[in-house]
Amino acid sequence: MNKIRILPIAAALTLMVAGAANASDHSLLAAQKGDLVPQTLRAVPTAPVKSLSTTAAPTKPTVDHRPVHVSWKLDASRKLEAAPKPFDRSSREYWQDVSADELHRGLQLRTTTPGALIRLSPVGGDFGRLDPQRMQVTHGGRTLTGAEAMSNSADTAQLRQAGMMVSDGSMVMKLRPDLGTGPVTLKAADAKGRYVVHVFEPKSPLVLHAQTTRDTIASGQSVRLNVHLRDAGANQAMDSVGGFLVAPDGHTRDLRYQRNADGSYSVDVTPDADHATRRGLWELHTFTSATDASGHTVLRDATTAFAVSVTNARLDGRVQVQARGKKGIDLQIGVEAVQASRYAVSGVLYGHAADGSLKPMAYAQSANWLQAGKGSIDLRFDAGALAGSALRPPYELHDLKLVDQAHMGILERRAVALRFSP
């Protein structure tokens, strides 16, 4: 009887020792330039949840606490970007906020190519559709009615049918190409209130580019905005550059751009701490003026955006690699949190081909509820995601990302995070 009872215990000890032998401790690689790595941690402020009922008590939204793991195989022949490329906002357009009085007197617009599109959108109310027959367009010494000056037009209903979100009373007119280029004076006798006048030149070779150095930063960090005006790919000189930053709560502050040696402009932006805890994107508005080869004034505006995360957690650098044989590979990623929440980690596993090149192998994402303090999330690359792959160790973990799912924020992101051989 004693032997029968001892054998299962001995077998269990053997399995435990074998399992421990397959686990190894590692540390994340040093952060690279361009990685998003928070330096300090702080809790995300929690706003009270408003109830629509006047009698019922407010209820807190529930967040799932159950762990979730997913992984799938990747095409090894595909080239993946380990670091996200910031969005390049290109613009052949500009906007003006004008009053009805300005439209009564005559608003001068700048065009550099034939066939410009002019959109008028009422601000703060529906003042009725502007009648093209009562509008006047003056160009090159000729004065025409709006109907005579345009080759095509669209009203609010037509614009919305085309998928544009426009205010009531909006209209678009396309100037006849044979009118040419240069200053255009627009008069609207029946204008009321205020309007946003949008001029778009779809065929213009002069394009303003506005691009941030990253799409997401941690609270307290800075982002750089680079602005270029290009003609057929070559940088063009700009006479003036201005702009402003708009926080998610509507707070606005002016920006001061610096000219670079290549003719472009840049500005470093650090979001105001008092406004860096609100959800939503931060918008960067840039407006420029230049002169083209014909001596015409070129106006271009561009708007781009970036996100600011309040970093209530970060990767603490600890990684335990567990080879599960035919069941796959587990990476236990250490996380330090100052606030209980549902956190997720994701990454792309790379392996080496027969020729020594590094290729993508599998993607995995795992999420779990963590309390404040030191914890970990098990990033699992299951057998199905690794089956049939000809890629071999040493492996690399790319695009490792930590996300707060409850507060919708990217907290940390590393292009190349780990190298290991299970």
Side-chain angles (χ1 to χ4, degrees), residues 161-198:
Q161 191 173 10
M164 293 180 64
M165 297 180 65
V166 296
S167 58
D168 291 337
S170 297
M171 67 163 293
V172 171
M173 56 188 295
K174 181 179 180 180
L175 296 180
R176 284 178 11 212
D178 61 283
L179 292 180
T181 63
V184 173
T185 300
L186 178 67
K187 286 186 178 182
D190 50 355
K192 300 175 183 178
R194 299 196 67 83
Y195 295 81
V196 172
V197 179
H198 173 211

mmCIF file of all heavy atoms in Angstrom, residues 161-198:
data_model
loop_
_atom_site.group_PDB
_atom_site.id
_atom_site.type_symbol
_atom_site.label_atom_id
_atom_site.label_comp_id
_atom_site.label_asym_id
_atom_site.label_seq_id
_atom_site.Cartn_x
_atom_site.Cartn_y
_atom_site.Cartn_z
ATOM 1 N N GLN A 161 -25.566 62.775 -48.696
ATOM 2 C CA GLN A 161 -25.745 61.532 -49.455
ATOM 3 C C GLN A 161 -24.386 60.985 -49.904
ATOM 4 O O GLN A 161 -24.200 59.777 -50.020
ATOM 5 C CB GLN A 161 -26.642 61.779 -50.663
ATOM 6 C CG GLN A 161 -27.088 60.498 -51.360
ATOM 7 C CD GLN A 161 -28.102 60.770 -52.456
ATOM 8 O OE1 GLN A 161 -28.335 61.910 -52.826
ATOM 9 N NE2 GLN A 161 -28.702 59.719 -52.976
ATOM 10 N N ALA A 162 -23.435 61.895 -50.125
ATOM 11 C CA ALA A 162 -22.091 61.482 -50.530
ATOM 12 C C ALA A 162 -21.231 61.071 -49.337
ATOM 13 O O ALA A 162 -20.066 60.701 -49.504
ATOM 14 C CB ALA A 162 -21.410 62.617 -51.282
ATOM 15 N N GLY A 163 -21.794 61.135 -48.114
ATOM 16 C CA GLY A 163 -21.073 60.695 -46.928
ATOM 17 C C GLY A 163 -20.392 61.795 -46.150
ATOM 18 O O GLY A 163 -19.676 61.517 -45.177
ATOM 19 N N MET A 164 -20.610 63.068 -46.507
ATOM 20 C CA MET A 164 -19.985 64.167 -45.789
ATOM 21 C C MET A 164 -20.870 64.607 -44.621
ATOM 22 O O MET A 164 -22.088 64.720 -44.774
ATOM 23 C CB MET A 164 -19.747 65.356 -46.729
ATOM 24 C CG MET A 164 -18.727 65.095 -47.817
ATOM 25 S SD MET A 164 -18.485 66.545 -48.888
ATOM 26 C CE MET A 164 -17.798 67.721 -47.715
ATOM 27 N N MET A 165 -20.257 64.842 -43.473
ATOM 28 C CA MET A 165 -20.985 65.349 -42.309
ATOM 29 C C MET A 165 -20.898 66.865 -42.327
ATOM 30 O O MET A 165 -19.866 67.445 -41.980
ATOM 31 C CB MET A 165 -20.402 64.780 -41.021
ATOM 32 C CG MET A 165 -20.527 63.278 -40.901
ATOM 33 S SD MET A 165 -19.836 62.631 -39.350
ATOM 34 C CE MET A 165 -20.946 63.389 -38.163
ATOM 35 N N VAL A 166 -21.959 67.516 -42.777
ATOM 36 C CA VAL A 166 -21.970 68.970 -42.920
ATOM 37 C C VAL A 166 -23.147 69.546 -42.153
ATOM 38 O O VAL A 166 -24.141 68.870 -41.898
ATOM 39 C CB VAL A 166 -22.038 69.396 -44.399
ATOM 40 C CG1 VAL A 166 -20.796 68.943 -45.154
ATOM 41 C CG2 VAL A 166 -23.296 68.840 -45.071
ATOM 42 N N SER A 167 -23.035 70.802 -41.782
ATOM 43 C CA SER A 167 -24.104 71.486 -41.065
ATOM 44 C C SER A 167 -25.230 71.856 -42.030
ATOM 45 O O SER A 167 -25.032 71.941 -43.249
ATOM 46 C CB SER A 167 -23.562 72.741 -40.382
ATOM 47 O OG SER A 167 -22.977 73.610 -41.340
ATOM 48 N N ASP A 168 -26.415 72.082 -41.469
ATOM 49 C CA ASP A 168 -27.562 72.495 -42.288
ATOM 50 C C ASP A 168 -27.245 73.808 -43.003
ATOM 51 O O ASP A 168 -26.658 74.722 -42.420
ATOM 52 C CB ASP A 168 -28.801 72.679 -41.410
ATOM 53 C CG ASP A 168 -29.313 71.362 -40.851
ATOM 54 O OD1 ASP A 168 -29.024 70.315 -41.455
ATOM 55 O OD2 ASP A 168 -29.986 71.381 -39.803
ATOM 56 N N GLY A 169 -27.643 73.903 -44.265
ATOM 57 C CA GLY A 169 -27.416 75.108 -45.041
ATOM 58 C C GLY A 169 -26.088 75.134 -45.776
ATOM 59 O O GLY A 169 -25.754 76.131 -46.419
ATOM 60 N N SER A 170 -25.302 74.032 -45.675
ATOM 61 C CA SER A 170 -24.004 73.987 -46.349
ATOM 62 C C SER A 170 -24.173 73.818 -47.855
ATOM 63 O O SER A 170 -25.148 73.232 -48.328
ATOM 64 C CB SER A 170 -23.156 72.837 -45.811
ATOM 65 O OG SER A 170 -22.869 73.017 -44.450
ATOM 66 N N MET A 171 -23.209 74.323 -48.602
ATOM 67 C CA MET A 171 -23.202 74.141 -50.045
ATOM 68 C C MET A 171 -21.766 74.135 -50.547
ATOM 69 O O MET A 171 -20.858 74.660 -49.906
ATOM 70 C CB MET A 171 -23.980 75.252 -50.753
ATOM 71 C CG MET A 171 -23.341 76.628 -50.656
ATOM 72 S SD MET A 171 -23.990 77.814 -51.871
ATOM 73 C CE MET A 171 -23.399 77.123 -53.405
ATOM 74 N N VAL A 172 -21.544 73.499 -51.700
ATOM 75 C CA VAL A 172 -20.242 73.460 -52.358
ATOM 76 C C VAL A 172 -20.418 73.907 -53.799
ATOM 77 O O VAL A 172 -21.379 73.507 -54.471
ATOM 78 C CB VAL A 172 -19.631 72.044 -52.330
ATOM 79 C CG1 VAL A 172 -18.385 71.970 -53.220
ATOM 80 C CG2 VAL A 172 -19.256 71.652 -50.917
ATOM 81 N N MET A 173 -19.500 74.750 -54.258
ATOM 82 C CA MET A 173 -19.501 75.156 -55.659
ATOM 83 C C MET A 173 -18.111 74.926 -56.233
ATOM 84 O O MET A 173 -17.099 75.152 -55.571
ATOM 85 C CB MET A 173 -19.896 76.630 -55.803
ATOM 86 C CG MET A 173 -19.055 77.597 -55.013
ATOM 87 S SD MET A 173 -19.689 79.300 -55.034
ATOM 88 C CE MET A 173 -19.507 79.693 -56.762
ATOM 89 N N LYS A 174 -18.063 74.425 -57.461
ATOM 90 C CA LYS A 174 -16.795 74.230 -58.158
ATOM 91 C C LYS A 174 -16.653 75.312 -59.215
ATOM 92 O O LYS A 174 -17.506 75.443 -60.099
ATOM 93 C CB LYS A 174 -16.746 72.855 -58.815
ATOM 94 C CG LYS A 174 -15.435 72.583 -59.549
ATOM 95 C CD LYS A 174 -15.408 71.193 -60.168
ATOM 96 C CE LYS A 174 -14.081 70.952 -60.884
ATOM 97 N NZ LYS A 174 -14.017 69.601 -61.492
ATOM 98 N N LEU A 175 -15.584 76.099 -59.128
ATOM 99 C CA LEU A 175 -15.371 77.177 -60.097
ATOM 100 C C LEU A 175 -15.056 76.609 -61.468
ATOM 101 O O LEU A 175 -14.387 75.575 -61.598
ATOM 102 C CB LEU A 175 -14.228 78.086 -59.636
ATOM 103 C CG LEU A 175 -14.442 78.854 -58.319
ATOM 104 C CD1 LEU A 175 -13.217 79.691 -58.014
ATOM 105 C CD2 LEU A 175 -15.687 79.728 -58.391
ATOM 106 N N ARG A 176 -15.541 77.283 -62.485
ATOM 107 C CA ARG A 176 -15.255 76.854 -63.853
ATOM 108 C C ARG A 176 -13.753 76.878 -64.101
ATOM 109 O O ARG A 176 -13.083 77.870 -63.809
ATOM 110 C CB ARG A 176 -15.950 77.777 -64.854
ATOM 111 C CG ARG A 176 -17.436 77.543 -64.972
ATOM 112 C CD ARG A 176 -18.119 78.490 -65.929
ATOM 113 N NE ARG A 176 -17.227 79.288 -66.758
ATOM 114 C CZ ARG A 176 -17.522 80.529 -67.169
ATOM 115 N NH1 ARG A 176 -18.647 81.111 -66.768
ATOM 116 N NH2 ARG A 176 -16.702 81.193 -67.959
ATOM 117 N N PRO A 177 -13.186 75.797 -64.658
ATOM 118 C CA PRO A 177 -11.742 75.759 -64.903
ATOM 119 C C PRO A 177 -11.244 76.891 -65.800
ATOM 120 O O PRO A 177 -10.117 77.361 -65.639
ATOM 121 C CB PRO A 177 -11.541 74.389 -65.570
ATOM 122 C CG PRO A 177 -12.679 73.557 -65.070
ATOM 123 C CD PRO A 177 -13.837 74.505 -64.960
ATOM 124 N N ASP A 178 -12.097 77.359 -66.728
ATOM 125 C CA ASP A 178 -11.634 78.393 -67.663
ATOM 126 C C ASP A 178 -11.472 79.767 -67.000
ATOM 127 O O ASP A 178 -10.915 80.687 -67.604
ATOM 128 C CB ASP A 178 -12.593 78.515 -68.848
ATOM 129 C CG ASP A 178 -13.995 78.914 -68.409
ATOM 130 O OD1 ASP A 178 -14.729 78.045 -67.897
ATOM 131 O OD2 ASP A 178 -14.336 80.104 -68.574
ATOM 132 N N LEU A 179 -11.918 79.897 -65.742
ATOM 133 C CA LEU A 179 -11.711 81.155 -65.035
ATOM 134 C C LEU A 179 -10.241 81.354 -64.665
ATOM 135 O O LEU A 179 -9.815 82.472 -64.381
ATOM 136 C CB LEU A 179 -12.567 81.211 -63.770
ATOM 137 C CG LEU A 179 -14.086 81.300 -63.963
ATOM 138 C CD1 LEU A 179 -14.791 81.356 -62.617
ATOM 139 C CD2 LEU A 179 -14.462 82.512 -64.811
ATOM 140 N N GLY A 180 -9.481 80.245 -64.645
ATOM 141 C CA GLY A 180 -8.054 80.365 -64.360
ATOM 142 C C GLY A 180 -7.764 80.415 -62.868
ATOM 143 O O GLY A 180 -8.514 79.897 -62.042
ATOM 144 N N THR A 181 -6.649 81.067 -62.515
ATOM 145 C CA THR A 181 -6.198 81.105 -61.126
ATOM 146 C C THR A 181 -6.055 82.547 -60.646
ATOM 147 O O THR A 181 -6.295 83.497 -61.395
ATOM 148 C CB THR A 181 -4.841 80.390 -60.996
ATOM 149 O OG1 THR A 181 -3.870 81.093 -61.783
ATOM 150 C CG2 THR A 181 -4.929 78.955 -61.472
ATOM 151 N N GLY A 182 -5.635 82.668 -59.379
ATOM 152 C CA GLY A 182 -5.442 83.996 -58.823
ATOM 153 C C GLY A 182 -6.518 84.345 -57.816
ATOM 154 O O GLY A 182 -7.361 83.511 -57.457
ATOM 155 N N PRO A 183 -6.533 85.610 -57.351
ATOM 156 C CA PRO A 183 -7.520 86.026 -56.351
ATOM 157 C C PRO A 183 -8.947 85.956 -56.896
ATOM 158 O O PRO A 183 -9.201 86.284 -58.048
ATOM 159 C CB PRO A 183 -7.131 87.474 -56.042
ATOM 160 C CG PRO A 183 -5.718 87.609 -56.511
ATOM 161 C CD PRO A 183 -5.581 86.680 -57.668
ATOM 162 N N VAL A 184 -9.860 85.511 -56.021
ATOM 163 C CA VAL A 184 -11.289 85.440 -56.336
ATOM 164 C C VAL A 184 -12.037 86.143 -55.218
ATOM 165 O O VAL A 184 -11.806 85.865 -54.040
ATOM 166 C CB VAL A 184 -11.772 83.975 -56.451
ATOM 167 C CG1 VAL A 184 -13.290 83.927 -56.611
ATOM 168 C CG2 VAL A 184 -11.087 83.263 -57.605
ATOM 169 N N THR A 185 -12.925 87.061 -55.565
ATOM 170 C CA THR A 185 -13.740 87.747 -54.562
ATOM 171 C C THR A 185 -15.151 87.176 -54.592
ATOM 172 O O THR A 185 -15.799 87.153 -55.646
ATOM 173 C CB THR A 185 -13.783 89.264 -54.814
ATOM 174 O OG1 THR A 185 -12.455 89.783 -54.764
ATOM 175 C CG2 THR A 185 -14.616 89.957 -53.752
ATOM 176 N N LEU A 186 -15.606 86.720 -53.431
ATOM 177 C CA LEU A 186 -16.913 86.084 -53.314
ATOM 178 C C LEU A 186 -17.836 86.968 -52.484
ATOM 179 O O LEU A 186 -17.498 87.358 -51.371
ATOM 180 C CB LEU A 186 -16.760 84.710 -52.654
ATOM 181 C CG LEU A 186 -18.041 83.913 -52.401
ATOM 182 C CD1 LEU A 186 -18.670 83.489 -53.720
ATOM 183 C CD2 LEU A 186 -17.736 82.694 -51.539
ATOM 184 N N LYS A 187 -19.024 87.302 -53.045
ATOM 185 C CA LYS A 187 -20.036 88.071 -52.331
ATOM 186 C C LYS A 187 -21.304 87.240 -52.206
ATOM 187 O O LYS A 187 -21.689 86.553 -53.156
ATOM 188 C CB LYS A 187 -20.360 89.370 -53.065
ATOM 189 C CG LYS A 187 -19.306 90.454 -52.962
ATOM 190 C CD LYS A 187 -19.806 91.748 -53.612
ATOM 191 C CE LYS A 187 -18.780 92.864 -53.481
ATOM 192 N NZ LYS A 187 -19.295 94.139 -54.063
ATOM 193 N N ALA A 188 -21.936 87.310 -51.019
ATOM 194 C CA ALA A 188 -23.202 86.612 -50.790
ATOM 195 C C ALA A 188 -24.134 87.563 -50.052
ATOM 196 O O ALA A 188 -24.014 87.758 -48.838
ATOM 197 C CB ALA A 188 -22.978 85.338 -49.990
ATOM 198 N N ALA A 189 -25.057 88.180 -50.797
ATOM 199 C CA ALA A 189 -25.942 89.190 -50.217
ATOM 200 C C ALA A 189 -26.892 88.613 -49.182
ATOM 201 O O ALA A 189 -27.330 89.320 -48.266
ATOM 202 C CB ALA A 189 -26.730 89.870 -51.338
ATOM 203 N N ASP A 190 -27.249 87.324 -49.308
ATOM 204 C CA ASP A 190 -28.209 86.735 -48.375
ATOM 205 C C ASP A 190 -27.536 85.976 -47.227
ATOM 206 O O ASP A 190 -28.181 85.202 -46.527
ATOM 207 C CB ASP A 190 -29.172 85.803 -49.119
ATOM 208 C CG ASP A 190 -28.459 84.804 -50.020
ATOM 209 O OD1 ASP A 190 -27.224 84.904 -50.137
ATOM 210 O OD2 ASP A 190 -29.130 83.934 -50.608
ATOM 211 N N ALA A 191 -26.244 86.200 -47.009
ATOM 212 C CA ALA A 191 -25.538 85.538 -45.903
ATOM 213 C C ALA A 191 -26.015 86.077 -44.566
ATOM 214 O O ALA A 191 -26.281 87.272 -44.418
ATOM 215 C CB ALA A 191 -24.034 85.745 -46.058
ATOM 216 N N LYS A 192 -26.092 85.198 -43.558
ATOM 217 C CA LYS A 192 -26.484 85.574 -42.202
ATOM 218 C C LYS A 192 -25.613 84.827 -41.210
ATOM 219 O O LYS A 192 -25.241 83.678 -41.437
ATOM 220 C CB LYS A 192 -27.960 85.225 -41.950
ATOM 221 C CG LYS A 192 -28.946 85.912 -42.886
ATOM 222 C CD LYS A 192 -30.357 85.414 -42.634
ATOM 223 C CE LYS A 192 -31.339 86.045 -43.612
ATOM 224 N NZ LYS A 192 -32.721 85.529 -43.412
ATOM 225 N N GLY A 193 -25.307 85.492 -40.100
ATOM 226 C CA GLY A 193 -24.521 84.829 -39.061
ATOM 227 C C GLY A 193 -23.064 84.674 -39.451
ATOM 228 O O GLY A 193 -22.457 85.573 -40.021
ATOM 229 N N ARG A 194 -22.494 83.487 -39.159
ATOM 230 C CA ARG A 194 -21.092 83.203 -39.468
ATOM 231 C C ARG A 194 -20.986 81.936 -40.312
ATOM 232 O O ARG A 194 -21.864 81.067 -40.261
ATOM 233 C CB ARG A 194 -20.256 83.042 -38.192
ATOM 234 C CG ARG A 194 -20.232 84.285 -37.305
ATOM 235 C CD ARG A 194 -19.109 84.197 -36.288
ATOM 236 N NE ARG A 194 -17.786 84.240 -36.932
ATOM 237 C CZ ARG A 194 -17.165 85.368 -37.286
ATOM 238 N NH1 ARG A 194 -17.745 86.552 -37.072
ATOM 239 N NH2 ARG A 194 -15.977 85.318 -37.859
ATOM 240 N N TYR A 195 -19.874 81.850 -41.053
ATOM 241 C CA TYR A 195 -19.651 80.714 -41.945
ATOM 242 C C TYR A 195 -18.195 80.265 -41.867
ATOM 243 O O TYR A 195 -17.288 81.074 -41.617
ATOM 244 C CB TYR A 195 -19.959 81.075 -43.401
ATOM 245 C CG TYR A 195 -21.410 81.396 -43.671
ATOM 246 C CD1 TYR A 195 -21.925 82.655 -43.371
ATOM 247 C CD2 TYR A 195 -22.266 80.451 -44.216
ATOM 248 C CE1 TYR A 195 -23.254 82.967 -43.618
ATOM 249 C CE2 TYR A 195 -23.600 80.751 -44.465
ATOM 250 C CZ TYR A 195 -24.087 82.002 -44.164
ATOM 251 O OH TYR A 195 -25.403 82.303 -44.405
ATOM 252 N N VAL A 196 -17.978 78.986 -42.092
ATOM 253 C CA VAL A 196 -16.647 78.476 -42.378
ATOM 254 C C VAL A 196 -16.551 78.319 -43.890
ATOM 255 O O VAL A 196 -17.364 77.616 -44.501
ATOM 256 C CB VAL A 196 -16.386 77.119 -41.691
ATOM 257 C CG1 VAL A 196 -15.048 76.533 -42.171
ATOM 258 C CG2 VAL A 196 -16.360 77.283 -40.184
ATOM 259 N N VAL A 197 -15.587 79.023 -44.479
ATOM 260 C CA VAL A 197 -15.369 78.948 -45.924
ATOM 261 C C VAL A 197 -14.148 78.065 -46.158
ATOM 262 O O VAL A 197 -13.051 78.340 -45.656
ATOM 263 C CB VAL A 197 -15.152 80.340 -46.538
ATOM 264 C CG1 VAL A 197 -14.911 80.225 -48.037
ATOM 265 C CG2 VAL A 197 -16.365 81.234 -46.266
ATOM 266 N N HIS A 198 -14.348 77.004 -46.911
ATOM 267 C CA HIS A 198 -13.315 75.994 -47.140
ATOM 268 C C HIS A 198 -12.966 76.006 -48.629
ATOM 269 O O HIS A 198 -13.841 75.822 -49.484
ATOM 270 C CB HIS A 198 -13.864 74.624 -46.722
ATOM 271 C CG HIS A 198 -12.972 73.472 -47.056
ATOM 272 N ND1 HIS A 198 -13.447 72.218 -47.355
ATOM 273 C CD2 HIS A 198 -11.625 73.387 -47.141
ATOM 274 C CE1 HIS A 198 -12.451 71.417 -47.611
ATOM 275 N NE2 HIS A 198 -11.327 72.096 -47.490
#
